[in-house]
Amino acid sequence: MKRYEELAEAIAKSIRDEVIKPGEKLPSVRETSKKRGVSASTVFEAYYLLEARGLITTRPRSGYYVNSSAKKLRPLAEQKTENLSKQQEVDVSELVFEVLEATRARSSVPFGSAFPSPVLFPMAKLAKTMSYTVQKMDPWRTVEDLGPGDNELRRQIALRYRIDGVDIPTEEIVITNGALEGLNLCLAAVTRPGDTILIESPTFYAALQAIERYGLKTVEVPSHPDTGVDLDIMEQTIQRYRPKACWIMTNFQNPIGSLMPDANKKRLVEMITKYQIPLIEDDVYGELYFDEKRPTPTKTYDEEGLILHCSSFSKSLAPGYRIGWVAAGKFAKQVERLKLSTSITTSVPAQQTIANYLSKGGYDRHLRQLRHLLVLQQLRYLKAVEQYFPEETRISRPHGGYFFWIELPKSVDALKLHRTALDNGISIAPGPIFSAQRSYKNFIRLNYGHEWDEQVDDALAILGKLVKT
Ligand SMILES: Cc1ncc(COP(=O)(O)O)c(C=O)c1O
C-alpha cells in the first residue's frame, strides 16, 4: 500500500472513532507532514483521496475540514433478554431462498448481497496463476489428490495460522468447497438428527438452513453489537438444554458485525471445555479487520481439540473459486471422511491455483488494499445513511467486514421494505432471515463492500425515503 493511502486510512479511522470530530479542521499539511514524518506531497495526496471519497472538504484559504453529517445516528443497543430462548425446530429456508433469489440480479444495487464487489479482488492475477498452474499440472494429481486436499495449499494455510499464533498441524486441515461446505460437514460430524444446537441471534441464515436440513433443533443466545454472544446467557442455556454443539462467529459476526474480545474468547473456550461441547467457529471475515492485527480465532485457546475452525478465501481473495477449509481438532478424521463421501474433493486446479498464489507472496499486500478500501467505504456509506435515514435509526459500527446491521423505526416491516426496494432496483437483506424465530422485523443488513458512486448514493437516498414512508 502506498504511504498516502496508509495516511488516508489512519485519518479515516480517526474520523470514524471521532478522535477528529465532524466539522473539525484537520491539521495543516505542514503539521501533519512533520508529525507523521512524511513529505508534504504525501499528505496532499492523502487529503485529496479523502476529499474524493467525500469524507473531508477543502475551504479556500482556510484548510481541510471533516464533513459533518446532517445528523448522527445512535449505535445499536444491547439486547436485554431475561428469558432463555425456547428450544425449537427451524423453518426459514423458503424465506431465505426467496430473498436470495431476488437479490442476485446484477441490475439491482446489491446492498443485500453477502459478497463485496468482485472487482476488489485480484482476478487478473489469479487468472494468470491459474493458466500457468493448469498448464504445468501433472495429470495424475487429479486422481491422487483425493481426500483432505492439496498438500501445498494445506501447508500454506497452516503457515498462515502459525503467523497468527495458532499452531495447527497441516494434517488437521481439510480443504472444502468454500467455508459453507466445511461448516455443513462439521455440523454433520458432531450431531445426529433431533439434537439441539446452540446458535447466536441474529445469525447467518445459512446456519439456520443447515440446521433445518439436518433435522436439528436450536436454542438461540443473543449476540451483542460490540462483544458478540452473551456468555452469561450462553452458560444458562447450556445448563438448561445441554446442546450437542455450538455454531458461533467470533470475528465480525454476520450480520451484527461484533468482535468478541480476547477475554470473552478465553471464557467461551473454558465454557465449552467444561461442558465438553464442540464449537463450530465460523471465521470467514477474520482477515477483514480494520484495527492493528488479525483478531484471534478461539481456536488459539483450544487445548482439547473441541473447536472446528472454518474459513475460506471467498471473502478475502478469490470469490467463485470456492476454496475453504476446516481445522477440526479431534474431529478432523470424521470431517475428512465426510468430505470424501460427500464431494470426494475440491476442484484440483482451483486448489493448486490458490496454493501457487499464496506461495508467491502478494496475498498480504492485496489484503491491506482491500481493508483500506473497506475502511473508507464504511465511513462514506455511514455518512449517507446518517443523511438519508430517519433519526430513530440505529446502526452498528463494525471494526471489520463489510456489513452494517441497521435497526429501523419500529413501524418499518423489513420484509415489505425488501419487496418495495426491489421494485426500485435495490436489494437489502431483511432482518427475519437471520433468526429461527423470524425476529428482527424492523432490521436490515446493508452491504458496504461495493465501490461508492452516484448510483449507490441515489439508491441510499431512495432507501431512506422508503423507510420514512
Ligand atoms: C458468516 C458466513 N459464513 C460462511 C459463509 C460462506 O462462505 P463461503 O462462500 O466460503 O462458502 C458466508 C458467506 O456469505 C458467511 O457470511
Side-chain angles (χ1 to χ4, degrees), residues 126 129 133 141 150-157 175 313 317 321 323 348-361:
L126 284 167
T129 314
T133 305
R141 296 287 297 277
D150 181 82
N151 278 337
E152 178 54 18
L153 178 60
R154 292 161 76 216
R155 199 181 69 82
Q156 290 288 341
I157 292 170
I175 306 295
F313 295 105
L317 175 67
Y321 280 60
I323 300 294
V348 174
Q351 288 189 69
Q352 289 191 10
T353 300
I354 303 290
N356 280 341
Y357 177 91
L358 294 177
S359 65
K360 291 220 167 64

Side-chain angles (χ1 to χ4, degrees), residues 185-248:
L185 296 177
C186 291
L187 198 58
V190 296
T191 59
R192 296 283 163 270
D195 284 349
T196 296
I197 170 153
L198 184 151
I199 56 170
E200 302 166 86
S201 175
T203 197
F204 174 42
Y205 45 76
L208 298 170
Q209 289 182 302
I211 288 165
E212 186 177 332
R213 200 168 43 249
Y214 286 126
L216 302 166
K217 297 192 186 86
T218 59
V219 276
E220 292 184 323
V221 175
S223 221
H224 298 310
D226 292 327
T227 54
V229 71
D230 185 313
L231 294 174
D232 291 330
I233 299 184
M234 178 164 169
E235 182 144 24
Q236 292 166 32
T237 306
I238 289 176
Q239 287 167 348
R240 170 95 177 262
Y241 293 110
R242 298 283 161 180
K244 283 284 169 2
C246 315
W247 176 328
I248 284 174

Side-chain angles (χ1 to χ4, degrees), residues 114-115 178-180 183 204 249 254 282 284-285 312 314-315 322:
F115 291 90
L180 194 54
L183 290 157
F204 174 42
M249 271 165 272
N254 176 5
D282 180 354
V284 292
Y285 298 105
S312 75
S314 310
K315 324 285 179 177
R322 307 301 304 142

